[in-house]
């Protein structure tokens, strides 16, 4: 079950990353200054984690659970950024 969640979040990660990249190319805003470093940090951590099929532990947690949490946080941050860029009187 965790592998299915991981796979679904990988697809969402891929799609939302391309949407965010398109927004960066089209629009320039100060929201990107806040969101881009966070998104890059999460993506870098995901890149160096071992495959989710390994049984290693990171800080006492299974790798697949860490990956799922990072994918979910990444997707939420990008959705928040896309929503806030769409509205003129947004949170930022």
């Amino acid at each position: 079950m965790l592998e299915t969640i991981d796979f679904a979040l990988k697809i969402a990660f891929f799609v939302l990353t391309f949407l965010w990249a398109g927004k960066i190319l089209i629009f320039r805003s100060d929201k990107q200054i806040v969101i881009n470093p966070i998104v890059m940090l999460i993506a870098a951590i995901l890149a160096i984690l071992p495959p989710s099929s390994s049984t290693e532990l990171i800080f006492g947690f299974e790798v697949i659970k860490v990956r799922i949490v990072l994918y979910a946080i990444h997707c939420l941050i990008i959705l928040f950024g896309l929503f806030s860029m769409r509205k003129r009187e947004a949170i930022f």
Side-chain angles (χ1 to χ4, degrees):
M1 173 149 163
L2 290 177
E3 290 84 15
T4 306
I5 294 170
D6 185 47
F7 182 71
L9 286 172
K10 281 181 186 180
I11 292 172
F13 172 85
F14 185 74
V15 170
L16 288 173
T17 300
F18 273 102
L19 284 173
W20 183 248
K23 289 285 185 178
I24 290 173
L25 292 173
I26 295 172
F27 301 112
R28 294 234 177 226
S29 76
D30 34 339
K31 295 165 189 63
Q32 296 168 356
I33 296 171
V34 176
I35 294 173
N36 285 345
I38 297 170
V39 169
M40 290 185 336
L41 177 68
I42 292 172
I45 293 170
L46 282 168
I48 63 170
L49 284 177
S52 56
S53 61
S54 71
T55 58
E56 296 181 32
L57 295 177
I58 297 178
F59 300 116
F61 298 104
E62 294 177 24
V63 172
I64 192 162
K65 291 180 182 175
V66 173
R67 292 180 78 85
I68 287 172
V69 168
L70 288 174
Y71 279 130
I73 291 171
H74 185 274
C75 291
L76 288 175
I77 289 172
I78 289 181
L79 286 173
F80 175 74
L82 291 171
F83 177 74
S84 68
M85 286 180 75
R86 190 183 71 181
K87 301 187 84 151
R88 293 287 179 204
E89 298 86 29
I91 294 172
F92 286 117

